Amino acid sequence: MSNEFHFNIELYPEDSKKLIPIDIEIPDGIREIVIKGILEPESISYEESKRLIIDALKKYVSQGFEPLDVKNNQILEKIWREFSPLKNIVNLRIIDSEGKFRGTGDNRFTKGIPIKIGVEESTLGCVTGKISPGEWKLILEVKQILKRCILNIVVFLNRENTTKIADPILPYTSVLREWESKEGWVKGDFHLHSNHSDGALSIEELVKFSIKRGLDFIFLTDHNKISGYHTIDDEGYPIFGGIEFTTFWGHFLGLGIYDYIPWDLVNPDVGIRRLAEKVHYQEGIFCIAHPFTLSYPICPGCRCEISIDYDYVDAMEVWTGTFSLRKFEITEGIKEWRRILKDGYKVTAIGSSDMHKIEDIRDDIPVNYVYVDSLTLENIIRSVREGKVYVTSGPKVEFYINDKNIGETLRMDDDIILKYSCEEEADVKIIYNGEEFIKIPKTKKGAFQIRFEGKGYVYLEFWQGNKLLAFTNPIYLM
């Protein structure tokens, strides 16, 4: 026996970046809630998409150290179809009568694939458990409407567990019972996705692949949920909780948190303050993710398009993904990070794979080395806040000024010795207060006396031609 609710919602371009709540009264005794949605049309035509995509790509390639001249559009004419056709995009969030997060639609919603929340079984990305009677909220997250469309939603309230689903949450099987204790420079990735949101791998598969990559730790940062992390049971490998807050105005990481936080605390009126405060309340790291990546209408909300108060920011994801394909946004991120540091904010730069599938991992994606006394979540968070991090696509590097290491502060005197090393030959750039101070070509290590004019910050970049190999966080000068 079941009850059904039907909703036909007409959406227009002016509904973009809106939340539309739908209230449903859930009676006592319900064992599963099943939601199906169809969006028609889901896409606009290739011809309608073309001009919008080319305009977005022009903006993207006009940033960074070496902006691309696209006056004749020949390059963009060749690649625009990779992003076409553009889509109307609507997601779904489910909140129960007790105000608790119970799931999102992710890639299933609007495609007719059922989303199930049950007492005994639920689809990936949802939370299994008691279905409390009372008013539940279905919140439509309207990211982008490019052309008028109709969203048809059917909600089934079943008193028996009858609906078969292809993607249920399965019991977690631990990969490792124990993991050796490590100290010093440990290697990890801060930004990874599983099949609990839009990743291809299960959490167990993600752990196995991270071990294969030689990573000492990872953070699971599924979109707008931490429920996948809560399914992990008796895992010895250091996998830590996080959320990628996927908002209408940018993406942000909450690293080292353990409870759900709604992403829509971010808005143009209050900026990121309220969301950052919630992350900090859980003693986590608040980080801006891929701030200069593609956005509307290719990836609406992916680029940071909101004013940022850096008093609330711990870290910035300066290098995301493969350098060869994303150099425009990565080098623009470096320019912005330099400016932030010059303004006096101690924002730590990190790099991340933003991995969704195995193919995302290439030779020129970054990993982070974090200096810790022992590999614990508390120590990683502390070291990130202190800037004891360097980012590399492979080679290990070192950077000292006198006896001070990356992230530390040096009181200047007349004799300052700068030391560096890199496992691969590289052009080393010494960046002092936002500007290239000295460039040392084709070197692997060196030590020399140097003089700086005053307080500020110094960090190193390691390049091979136009290819970034690695960069450090600063040593601060007082």
Side-chain angles (χ1 to χ4, degrees), residues 65 318 323 330-331 333-335 337-338 341 391 397 399 420 422 426-432 434-436 438-440 443 457-464 467-473:
F65 291 157
V318 170
F323 184 80
I330 293 165
T331 53
I334 291 172
K335 287 167 60 177
W337 179 55
R338 289 179 184 178
L341 293 174
V391 180
V397 305
F399 171 39
Y420 66 88
C422 180
D427 300 330
V428 176
K429 297 181 181 180
I430 300 172
I431 309 299
Y432 170 53
E435 304 294 335
E436 186 178 317
I438 296 174
K439 180 179 178 181
I440 309 165
T443 181
Y457 70 90
V458 182
Y459 79 89
L460 304 185
E461 296 174 3
F462 299 83
W463 294 79
Q464 286 181 340
K467 176 185 175 183
L468 181 62
L469 284 185
F471 65 87
T472 72
N473 273 274

mmCIF file of all heavy atoms in Angstrom, residues 65 318 323 330-331 333-335 337-338 341 391 397 399 420 422 426-432 434-436 438-440 443 457-464 467-473:
data_model
loop_
_atom_site.group_PDB
_atom_site.id
_atom_site.type_symbol
_atom_site.label_atom_id
_atom_site.label_comp_id
_atom_site.label_asym_id
_atom_site.label_seq_id
_atom_site.Cartn_x
_atom_site.Cartn_y
_atom_site.Cartn_z
ATOM 1 N N PHE A 65 48.982 33.411 -16.157
ATOM 2 C CA PHE A 65 50.249 34.020 -16.534
ATOM 3 C C PHE A 65 50.367 34.243 -18.040
ATOM 4 O O PHE A 65 51.028 35.168 -18.489
ATOM 5 C CB PHE A 65 51.423 33.145 -16.073
ATOM 6 C CG PHE A 65 51.610 33.105 -14.579
ATOM 7 C CD1 PHE A 65 52.281 32.048 -13.986
ATOM 8 C CD2 PHE A 65 51.139 34.117 -13.762
ATOM 9 C CE1 PHE A 65 52.478 32.002 -12.611
ATOM 10 C CE2 PHE A 65 51.310 34.074 -12.392
ATOM 11 C CZ PHE A 65 51.981 33.019 -11.813
ATOM 12 N N VAL A 318 44.766 26.170 -4.833
ATOM 13 C CA VAL A 318 45.390 26.913 -5.919
ATOM 14 C C VAL A 318 45.579 26.043 -7.157
ATOM 15 O O VAL A 318 45.414 26.499 -8.290
ATOM 16 C CB VAL A 318 46.739 27.501 -5.444
ATOM 17 C CG1 VAL A 318 47.536 28.076 -6.604
ATOM 18 C CG2 VAL A 318 46.496 28.578 -4.378
ATOM 19 N N PHE A 323 47.693 20.103 -14.710
ATOM 20 C CA PHE A 323 48.197 21.432 -15.048
ATOM 21 C C PHE A 323 48.085 21.715 -16.533
ATOM 22 O O PHE A 323 47.733 22.828 -16.939
ATOM 23 C CB PHE A 323 49.652 21.591 -14.589
ATOM 24 C CG PHE A 323 50.197 22.976 -14.828
ATOM 25 C CD1 PHE A 323 49.902 24.000 -13.953
ATOM 26 C CD2 PHE A 323 50.977 23.256 -15.942
ATOM 27 C CE1 PHE A 323 50.371 25.285 -14.180
ATOM 28 C CE2 PHE A 323 51.457 24.528 -16.175
ATOM 29 C CZ PHE A 323 51.154 25.550 -15.287
ATOM 30 N N ILE A 330 44.846 27.665 -12.876
ATOM 31 C CA ILE A 330 45.844 27.413 -11.835
ATOM 32 C C ILE A 330 46.760 28.611 -11.673
ATOM 33 O O ILE A 330 47.020 29.069 -10.547
ATOM 34 C CB ILE A 330 46.635 26.130 -12.162
ATOM 35 C CG1 ILE A 330 45.714 24.899 -12.066
ATOM 36 C CG2 ILE A 330 47.825 25.972 -11.211
ATOM 37 C CD1 ILE A 330 46.282 23.651 -12.710
ATOM 38 N N THR A 331 47.252 29.158 -12.789
ATOM 39 C CA THR A 331 48.149 30.310 -12.676
ATOM 40 C C THR A 331 47.397 31.569 -12.241
ATOM 41 O O THR A 331 47.958 32.433 -11.569
ATOM 42 C CB THR A 331 48.912 30.548 -13.987
ATOM 43 O OG1 THR A 331 47.994 30.629 -15.079
ATOM 44 C CG2 THR A 331 49.887 29.410 -14.247
ATOM 45 N N GLY A 333 45.027 31.363 -10.091
ATOM 46 C CA GLY A 333 44.963 31.101 -8.659
ATOM 47 C C GLY A 333 46.243 31.498 -7.946
ATOM 48 O O GLY A 333 46.211 32.038 -6.831
ATOM 49 N N ILE A 334 47.396 31.233 -8.583
ATOM 50 C CA ILE A 334 48.669 31.639 -7.992
ATOM 51 C C ILE A 334 48.735 33.159 -7.874
ATOM 52 O O ILE A 334 49.163 33.706 -6.841
ATOM 53 C CB ILE A 334 49.849 31.100 -8.836
ATOM 54 C CG1 ILE A 334 49.923 29.567 -8.715
ATOM 55 C CG2 ILE A 334 51.167 31.731 -8.396
ATOM 56 C CD1 ILE A 334 50.927 28.928 -9.649
ATOM 57 N N LYS A 335 48.306 33.870 -8.909
ATOM 58 C CA LYS A 335 48.313 35.343 -8.874
ATOM 59 C C LYS A 335 47.446 35.866 -7.725
ATOM 60 O O LYS A 335 47.847 36.768 -6.985
ATOM 61 C CB LYS A 335 47.796 35.891 -10.204
ATOM 62 C CG LYS A 335 48.766 35.749 -11.360
ATOM 63 C CD LYS A 335 48.092 36.016 -12.695
ATOM 64 C CE LYS A 335 47.501 37.399 -12.811
ATOM 65 N NZ LYS A 335 46.916 37.624 -14.164
ATOM 66 N N TRP A 337 46.502 34.211 -4.991
ATOM 67 C CA TRP A 337 47.083 33.811 -3.705
ATOM 68 C C TRP A 337 48.227 34.740 -3.310
ATOM 69 O O TRP A 337 48.329 35.164 -2.159
ATOM 70 C CB TRP A 337 47.563 32.361 -3.795
ATOM 71 C CG TRP A 337 48.204 31.832 -2.556
ATOM 72 C CD1 TRP A 337 47.676 31.809 -1.299
ATOM 73 C CD2 TRP A 337 49.504 31.236 -2.461
ATOM 74 N NE1 TRP A 337 48.568 31.231 -0.415
ATOM 75 C CE2 TRP A 337 49.685 30.870 -1.104
ATOM 76 C CE3 TRP A 337 50.500 30.959 -3.380
ATOM 77 C CZ2 TRP A 337 50.864 30.252 -0.660
ATOM 78 C CZ3 TRP A 337 51.661 30.343 -2.942
ATOM 79 C CH2 TRP A 337 51.835 29.998 -1.593
ATOM 80 N N ARG A 338 49.073 35.091 -4.265
ATOM 81 C CA ARG A 338 50.145 36.050 -3.977
ATOM 82 C C ARG A 338 49.571 37.362 -3.442
ATOM 83 O O ARG A 338 50.106 37.957 -2.507
ATOM 84 C CB ARG A 338 50.958 36.333 -5.242
ATOM 85 C CG ARG A 338 51.851 35.207 -5.728
ATOM 86 C CD ARG A 338 52.560 35.660 -6.996
ATOM 87 N NE ARG A 338 53.385 34.640 -7.607
ATOM 88 C CZ ARG A 338 54.061 34.825 -8.735
ATOM 89 N NH1 ARG A 338 53.989 35.993 -9.364
ATOM 90 N NH2 ARG A 338 54.814 33.851 -9.237
ATOM 91 N N LEU A 341 48.280 36.996 0.175
ATOM 92 C CA LEU A 341 49.399 36.985 1.127
ATOM 93 C C LEU A 341 49.958 38.386 1.316
ATOM 94 O O LEU A 341 50.283 38.795 2.440
ATOM 95 C CB LEU A 341 50.491 36.045 0.625
ATOM 96 C CG LEU A 341 50.168 34.546 0.576
ATOM 97 C CD1 LEU A 341 51.306 33.786 -0.095
ATOM 98 C CD2 LEU A 341 49.908 33.992 1.971
ATOM 99 N N VAL A 391 53.146 21.698 -2.428
ATOM 100 C CA VAL A 391 52.313 21.081 -3.453
ATOM 101 C C VAL A 391 53.218 20.680 -4.606
ATOM 102 O O VAL A 391 54.053 21.470 -5.050
ATOM 103 C CB VAL A 391 51.235 22.069 -3.933
ATOM 104 C CG1 VAL A 391 50.356 21.428 -5.007
ATOM 105 C CG2 VAL A 391 50.384 22.553 -2.753
ATOM 106 N N VAL A 397 60.500 18.358 -2.607
ATOM 107 C CA VAL A 397 61.300 19.582 -2.555
ATOM 108 C C VAL A 397 61.591 19.938 -1.102
ATOM 109 O O VAL A 397 60.933 19.442 -0.171
ATOM 110 C CB VAL A 397 60.588 20.759 -3.259
ATOM 111 C CG1 VAL A 397 60.227 20.395 -4.683
ATOM 112 C CG2 VAL A 397 59.341 21.196 -2.495
ATOM 113 N N PHE A 399 62.820 23.567 1.343
ATOM 114 C CA PHE A 399 62.994 25.017 1.372
ATOM 115 C C PHE A 399 63.233 25.446 2.818
ATOM 116 O O PHE A 399 62.414 25.166 3.697
ATOM 117 C CB PHE A 399 61.738 25.701 0.805
ATOM 118 C CG PHE A 399 61.687 27.192 0.959
ATOM 119 C CD1 PHE A 399 62.822 27.982 0.798
ATOM 120 C CD2 PHE A 399 60.481 27.826 1.246
ATOM 121 C CE1 PHE A 399 62.765 29.357 0.939
ATOM 122 C CE2 PHE A 399 60.405 29.200 1.382
ATOM 123 C CZ PHE A 399 61.550 29.965 1.236
ATOM 124 N N TYR A 420 67.524 25.296 -0.827
ATOM 125 C CA TYR A 420 66.435 24.625 -1.535
ATOM 126 C C TYR A 420 66.959 23.348 -2.170
ATOM 127 O O TYR A 420 68.170 23.186 -2.392
ATOM 128 C CB TYR A 420 65.845 25.527 -2.623
ATOM 129 C CG TYR A 420 66.814 25.810 -3.742
ATOM 130 C CD1 TYR A 420 66.910 24.959 -4.841
ATOM 131 C CD2 TYR A 420 67.660 26.912 -3.695
ATOM 132 C CE1 TYR A 420 67.815 25.187 -5.865
ATOM 133 C CE2 TYR A 420 68.570 27.159 -4.708
ATOM 134 C CZ TYR A 420 68.646 26.295 -5.786
ATOM 135 O OH TYR A 420 69.558 26.521 -6.789
ATOM 136 N N CYS A 422 65.330 20.077 -5.079
ATOM 137 C CA CYS A 422 64.230 19.481 -5.843
ATOM 138 C C CYS A 422 64.755 18.204 -6.469
ATOM 139 O O CYS A 422 65.883 18.162 -6.975
ATOM 140 C CB CYS A 422 63.739 20.449 -6.923
ATOM 141 S SG CYS A 422 62.376 19.813 -7.939
ATOM 142 N N ALA A 426 65.043 21.888 -12.266
ATOM 143 C CA ALA A 426 63.958 22.839 -12.496
ATOM 144 C C ALA A 426 64.494 24.264 -12.447
ATOM 145 O O ALA A 426 65.585 24.528 -11.925
ATOM 146 C CB ALA A 426 62.864 22.654 -11.441
ATOM 147 N N ASP A 427 63.702 25.181 -12.991
ATOM 148 C CA ASP A 427 63.943 26.605 -12.800
ATOM 149 C C ASP A 427 63.259 27.005 -11.498
ATOM 150 O O ASP A 427 62.041 26.839 -11.359
ATOM 151 C CB ASP A 427 63.363 27.423 -13.950
ATOM 152 C CG ASP A 427 63.956 27.051 -15.297
ATOM 153 O OD1 ASP A 427 65.130 26.631 -15.317
ATOM 154 O OD2 ASP A 427 63.249 27.167 -16.306
ATOM 155 N N VAL A 428 64.037 27.511 -10.563
ATOM 156 C CA VAL A 428 63.498 27.885 -9.256
ATOM 157 C C VAL A 428 63.237 29.390 -9.238
ATOM 158 O O VAL A 428 64.128 30.186 -9.534
ATOM 159 C CB VAL A 428 64.471 27.512 -8.125
ATOM 160 C CG1 VAL A 428 63.932 27.999 -6.783
ATOM 161 C CG2 VAL A 428 64.681 26.007 -8.093
ATOM 162 N N LYS A 429 62.004 29.754 -8.897
ATOM 163 C CA LYS A 429 61.635 31.158 -8.749
ATOM 164 C C LYS A 429 61.424 31.458 -7.271
ATOM 165 O O LYS A 429 60.633 30.789 -6.605
ATOM 166 C CB LYS A 429 60.359 31.472 -9.531
ATOM 167 C CG LYS A 429 60.497 31.290 -11.033
ATOM 168 C CD LYS A 429 59.194 31.632 -11.743
ATOM 169 C CE LYS A 429 59.316 31.429 -13.252
ATOM 170 N NZ LYS A 429 58.051 31.764 -13.956
ATOM 171 N N ILE A 430 62.138 32.452 -6.774
ATOM 172 C CA ILE A 430 61.958 32.920 -5.399
ATOM 173 C C ILE A 430 60.956 34.065 -5.447
ATOM 174 O O ILE A 430 61.204 35.107 -6.058
ATOM 175 C CB ILE A 430 63.292 33.384 -4.793
ATOM 176 C CG1 ILE A 430 64.299 32.229 -4.766
ATOM 177 C CG2 ILE A 430 63.074 33.941 -3.386
ATOM 178 C CD1 ILE A 430 65.694 32.640 -4.355
ATOM 179 N N ILE A 431 59.807 33.848 -4.838
ATOM 180 C CA ILE A 431 58.734 34.842 -4.836
ATOM 181 C C ILE A 431 58.752 35.565 -3.494
ATOM 182 O O ILE A 431 58.588 34.945 -2.437
ATOM 183 C CB ILE A 431 57.359 34.190 -5.070
ATOM 184 C CG1 ILE A 431 57.404 33.287 -6.310
ATOM 185 C CG2 ILE A 431 56.287 35.259 -5.198
ATOM 186 C CD1 ILE A 431 57.728 33.978 -7.608
ATOM 187 N N TYR A 432 58.947 36.883 -3.563
ATOM 188 C CA TYR A 432 59.037 37.718 -2.349
ATOM 189 C C TYR A 432 57.960 38.789 -2.420
ATOM 190 O O TYR A 432 57.939 39.615 -3.332
ATOM 191 C CB TYR A 432 60.435 38.339 -2.265
ATOM 192 C CG TYR A 432 60.617 39.406 -1.213
ATOM 193 C CD1 TYR A 432 60.273 39.178 0.116
ATOM 194 C CD2 TYR A 432 61.168 40.642 -1.549
ATOM 195 C CE1 TYR A 432 60.456 40.155 1.075
ATOM 196 C CE2 TYR A 432 61.366 41.631 -0.585
ATOM 197 C CZ TYR A 432 61.012 41.387 0.713
ATOM 198 O OH TYR A 432 61.193 42.354 1.679
ATOM 199 N N GLY A 434 54.908 38.767 -3.398
ATOM 200 C CA GLY A 434 54.071 38.801 -4.588
ATOM 201 C C GLY A 434 54.793 38.952 -5.900
ATOM 202 O O GLY A 434 54.165 38.899 -6.960
ATOM 203 N N GLU A 435 56.117 39.163 -5.868
ATOM 204 C CA GLU A 435 56.873 39.384 -7.093
ATOM 205 C C GLU A 435 57.999 38.369 -7.221
ATOM 206 O O GLU A 435 58.520 37.873 -6.219
ATOM 207 C CB GLU A 435 57.467 40.802 -7.109
ATOM 208 C CG GLU A 435 56.448 41.906 -6.933
ATOM 209 C CD GLU A 435 55.473 42.010 -8.099
ATOM 210 O OE1 GLU A 435 55.854 41.583 -9.224
ATOM 211 O OE2 GLU A 435 54.344 42.478 -7.896
ATOM 212 N N GLU A 436 58.359 38.064 -8.484
ATOM 213 C CA GLU A 436 59.509 37.198 -8.725
ATOM 214 C C GLU A 436 60.786 37.951 -8.365
ATOM 215 O O GLU A 436 61.140 38.940 -9.012
ATOM 216 C CB GLU A 436 59.534 36.757 -10.183
ATOM 217 C CG GLU A 436 60.620 35.742 -10.498
ATOM 218 C CD GLU A 436 60.603 35.290 -11.938
ATOM 219 O OE1 GLU A 436 59.492 35.026 -12.472
ATOM 220 O OE2 GLU A 436 61.699 35.208 -12.538
ATOM 221 N N ILE A 438 64.071 36.417 -7.583
ATOM 222 C CA ILE A 438 65.236 35.814 -8.217
ATOM 223 C C ILE A 438 64.775 34.557 -8.949
ATOM 224 O O ILE A 438 63.902 33.828 -8.461
ATOM 225 C CB ILE A 438 66.315 35.422 -7.177
ATOM 226 C CG1 ILE A 438 66.876 36.660 -6.475
ATOM 227 C CG2 ILE A 438 67.462 34.642 -7.840
ATOM 228 C CD1 ILE A 438 67.829 36.331 -5.339
ATOM 229 N N LYS A 439 65.368 34.300 -10.115
ATOM 230 C CA LYS A 439 65.133 33.058 -10.836
ATOM 231 C C LYS A 439 66.467 32.344 -11.022
ATOM 232 O O LYS A 439 67.435 32.938 -11.499
ATOM 233 C CB LYS A 439 64.486 33.322 -12.191
ATOM 234 C CG LYS A 439 64.222 32.051 -13.001
ATOM 235 C CD LYS A 439 63.548 32.379 -14.325
ATOM 236 C CE LYS A 439 63.317 31.126 -15.159
ATOM 237 N NZ LYS A 439 62.677 31.433 -16.458
ATOM 238 N N ILE A 440 66.501 31.077 -10.640
ATOM 239 C CA ILE A 440 67.709 30.267 -10.763
ATOM 240 C C ILE A 440 67.409 29.165 -11.780
ATOM 241 O O ILE A 440 66.635 28.247 -11.497
ATOM 242 C CB ILE A 440 68.114 29.655 -9.416
ATOM 243 C CG1 ILE A 440 68.179 30.738 -8.336
ATOM 244 C CG2 ILE A 440 69.446 28.918 -9.538
ATOM 245 C CD1 ILE A 440 68.219 30.194 -6.932
ATOM 246 N N THR A 443 68.340 23.920 -12.013
ATOM 247 C CA THR A 443 69.042 23.602 -10.777
ATOM 248 C C THR A 443 68.298 22.514 -10.016
ATOM 249 O O THR A 443 67.095 22.322 -10.219
ATOM 250 C CB THR A 443 69.179 24.858 -9.902
ATOM 251 O OG1 THR A 443 69.883 24.538 -8.704
ATOM 252 C CG2 THR A 443 67.822 25.428 -9.541
ATOM 253 N N TYR A 457 56.706 37.847 3.072
ATOM 254 C CA TYR A 457 56.717 36.407 2.890
ATOM 255 C C TYR A 457 57.601 36.039 1.705
ATOM 256 O O TYR A 457 57.800 36.819 0.769
ATOM 257 C CB TYR A 457 55.309 35.850 2.691
ATOM 258 C CG TYR A 457 54.668 36.216 1.364
ATOM 259 C CD1 TYR A 457 54.846 35.395 0.252
ATOM 260 C CD2 TYR A 457 53.882 37.356 1.214
ATOM 261 C CE1 TYR A 457 54.263 35.705 -0.969
ATOM 262 C CE2 TYR A 457 53.302 37.682 0.003
ATOM 263 C CZ TYR A 457 53.496 36.848 -1.090
ATOM 264 O OH TYR A 457 52.934 37.165 -2.301
ATOM 265 N N VAL A 458 58.120 34.811 1.752
ATOM 266 C CA VAL A 458 58.943 34.256 0.675
ATOM 267 C C VAL A 458 58.502 32.808 0.442
ATOM 268 O O VAL A 458 58.350 32.048 1.407
ATOM 269 C CB VAL A 458 60.446 34.263 1.037
ATOM 270 C CG1 VAL A 458 61.272 33.708 -0.135
ATOM 271 C CG2 VAL A 458 60.908 35.654 1.414
ATOM 272 N N TYR A 459 58.291 32.448 -0.807
ATOM 273 C CA TYR A 459 58.054 31.039 -1.115
ATOM 274 C C TYR A 459 58.733 30.710 -2.439
ATOM 275 O O TYR A 459 59.207 31.600 -3.164
ATOM 276 C CB TYR A 459 56.560 30.710 -1.133
ATOM 277 C CG TYR A 459 55.807 31.096 -2.388
ATOM 278 C CD1 TYR A 459 55.713 30.213 -3.468
ATOM 279 C CD2 TYR A 459 55.166 32.336 -2.507
ATOM 280 C CE1 TYR A 459 55.022 30.548 -4.613
ATOM 281 C CE2 TYR A 459 54.476 32.680 -3.652
ATOM 282 C CZ TYR A 459 54.407 31.784 -4.703
ATOM 283 O OH TYR A 459 53.732 32.119 -5.854
ATOM 284 N N LEU A 460 58.786 29.439 -2.798
ATOM 285 C CA LEU A 460 59.468 28.980 -4.003
ATOM 286 C C LEU A 460 58.499 28.315 -4.970
ATOM 287 O O LEU A 460 57.567 27.617 -4.559
ATOM 288 C CB LEU A 460 60.567 27.971 -3.663
ATOM 289 C CG LEU A 460 61.654 28.393 -2.674
ATOM 290 C CD1 LEU A 460 62.715 27.305 -2.580
ATOM 291 C CD2 LEU A 460 62.282 29.726 -3.047
ATOM 292 N N GLU A 461 58.735 28.547 -6.271
ATOM 293 C CA GLU A 461 58.058 27.821 -7.345
ATOM 294 C C GLU A 461 59.116 27.079 -8.158
ATOM 295 O O GLU A 461 60.203 27.615 -8.424
ATOM 296 C CB GLU A 461 57.291 28.772 -8.262
ATOM 297 C CG GLU A 461 56.153 29.496 -7.580
ATOM 298 C CD GLU A 461 55.499 30.538 -8.474
ATOM 299 O OE1 GLU A 461 55.893 30.664 -9.649
ATOM 300 O OE2 GLU A 461 54.609 31.247 -7.982
ATOM 301 N N PHE A 462 58.787 25.864 -8.588
ATOM 302 C CA PHE A 462 59.698 25.025 -9.369
ATOM 303 C C PHE A 462 59.043 24.760 -10.723
ATOM 304 O O PHE A 462 57.963 24.164 -10.787
ATOM 305 C CB PHE A 462 59.980 23.716 -8.640
ATOM 306 C CG PHE A 462 60.641 23.894 -7.296
ATOM 307 C CD1 PHE A 462 59.880 24.186 -6.165
ATOM 308 C CD2 PHE A 462 62.019 23.770 -7.156
ATOM 309 C CE1 PHE A 462 60.477 24.352 -4.917
ATOM 310 C CE2 PHE A 462 62.627 23.934 -5.923
ATOM 311 C CZ PHE A 462 61.857 24.230 -4.801
ATOM 312 N N TRP A 463 59.706 25.206 -11.795
ATOM 313 C CA TRP A 463 59.159 25.122 -13.143
ATOM 314 C C TRP A 463 60.107 24.358 -14.068
ATOM 315 O O TRP A 463 61.329 24.415 -13.904
ATOM 316 C CB TRP A 463 58.946 26.514 -13.734
ATOM 317 C CG TRP A 463 57.907 27.333 -13.044
ATOM 318 C CD1 TRP A 463 58.034 28.022 -11.872
ATOM 319 C CD2 TRP A 463 56.569 27.553 -13.485
ATOM 320 N NE1 TRP A 463 56.860 28.665 -11.555
ATOM 321 C CE2 TRP A 463 55.946 28.390 -12.525
ATOM 322 C CE3 TRP A 463 55.835 27.137 -14.591
ATOM 323 C CZ2 TRP A 463 54.630 28.817 -12.651
ATOM 324 C CZ3 TRP A 463 54.521 27.558 -14.726
ATOM 325 C CH2 TRP A 463 53.926 28.374 -13.759
ATOM 326 N N GLN A 464 59.540 23.687 -15.059
ATOM 327 C CA GLN A 464 60.286 23.177 -16.213
ATOM 328 C C GLN A 464 59.687 23.827 -17.446
ATOM 329 O O GLN A 464 58.638 23.415 -17.939
ATOM 330 C CB GLN A 464 60.203 21.652 -16.303
ATOM 331 C CG GLN A 464 61.048 20.927 -15.271
ATOM 332 C CD GLN A 464 60.972 19.414 -15.383
ATOM 333 O OE1 GLN A 464 60.035 18.875 -15.968
ATOM 334 N NE2 GLN A 464 61.945 18.721 -14.805
ATOM 335 N N LYS A 467 55.873 24.553 -17.546
ATOM 336 C CA LYS A 467 55.181 23.522 -16.772
ATOM 337 C C LYS A 467 55.530 23.669 -15.295
ATOM 338 O O LYS A 467 56.697 23.636 -14.908
ATOM 339 C CB LYS A 467 55.603 22.141 -17.270
ATOM 340 C CG LYS A 467 55.017 20.975 -16.479
ATOM 341 C CD LYS A 467 55.592 19.653 -16.977
ATOM 342 C CE LYS A 467 55.113 18.478 -16.134
ATOM 343 N NZ LYS A 467 55.744 17.202 -16.576
ATOM 344 N N LEU A 468 54.509 23.834 -14.463
ATOM 345 C CA LEU A 468 54.712 23.934 -13.020
ATOM 346 C C LEU A 468 54.934 22.541 -12.444
ATOM 347 O O LEU A 468 54.124 21.637 -12.653
ATOM 348 C CB LEU A 468 53.499 24.587 -12.364
ATOM 349 C CG LEU A 468 53.556 24.789 -10.851
ATOM 350 C CD1 LEU A 468 54.693 25.719 -10.454
ATOM 351 C CD2 LEU A 468 52.214 25.327 -10.331
ATOM 352 N N LEU A 469 56.044 22.375 -11.707
ATOM 353 C CA LEU A 469 56.329 21.113 -11.040
ATOM 354 C C LEU A 469 55.861 21.107 -9.599
ATOM 355 O O LEU A 469 55.308 20.129 -9.110
ATOM 356 C CB LEU A 469 57.836 20.829 -11.057
ATOM 357 C CG LEU A 469 58.491 20.355 -12.338
ATOM 358 C CD1 LEU A 469 59.958 20.027 -12.062
ATOM 359 C CD2 LEU A 469 57.784 19.129 -12.898
ATOM 360 N N ALA A 470 56.130 22.210 -8.892
ATOM 361 C CA ALA A 470 55.847 22.248 -7.452
ATOM 362 C C ALA A 470 55.911 23.684 -6.966
ATOM 363 O O ALA A 470 56.482 24.561 -7.628
ATOM 364 C CB ALA A 470 56.856 21.391 -6.685
ATOM 365 N N PHE A 471 55.305 23.925 -5.812
ATOM 366 C CA PHE A 471 55.514 25.193 -5.118
ATOM 367 C C PHE A 471 55.346 24.960 -3.618
ATOM 368 O O PHE A 471 54.666 24.023 -3.191
ATOM 369 C CB PHE A 471 54.569 26.297 -5.616
ATOM 370 C CG PHE A 471 53.111 26.057 -5.341
ATOM 371 C CD1 PHE A 471 52.529 26.446 -4.143
ATOM 372 C CD2 PHE A 471 52.304 25.456 -6.295
ATOM 373 C CE1 PHE A 471 51.181 26.235 -3.896
ATOM 374 C CE2 PHE A 471 50.957 25.236 -6.059
ATOM 375 C CZ PHE A 471 50.399 25.622 -4.849
ATOM 376 N N THR A 472 55.976 25.816 -2.838
ATOM 377 C CA THR A 472 55.883 25.714 -1.388
ATOM 378 C C THR A 472 54.929 26.754 -0.852
ATOM 379 O O THR A 472 54.534 27.687 -1.553
ATOM 380 C CB THR A 472 57.254 25.955 -0.741
ATOM 381 O OG1 THR A 472 57.592 27.347 -0.843
ATOM 382 C CG2 THR A 472 58.348 25.111 -1.384
ATOM 383 N N ASN A 473 54.552 26.609 0.391
ATOM 384 C CA ASN A 473 53.947 27.705 1.114
ATOM 385 C C ASN A 473 55.064 28.587 1.659
ATOM 386 O O ASN A 473 56.244 28.205 1.652
ATOM 387 C CB ASN A 473 53.011 27.191 2.210
ATOM 388 C CG ASN A 473 51.617 26.949 1.673
ATOM 389 O OD1 ASN A 473 50.800 27.844 1.624
ATOM 390 N ND2 ASN A 473 51.352 25.722 1.221
#
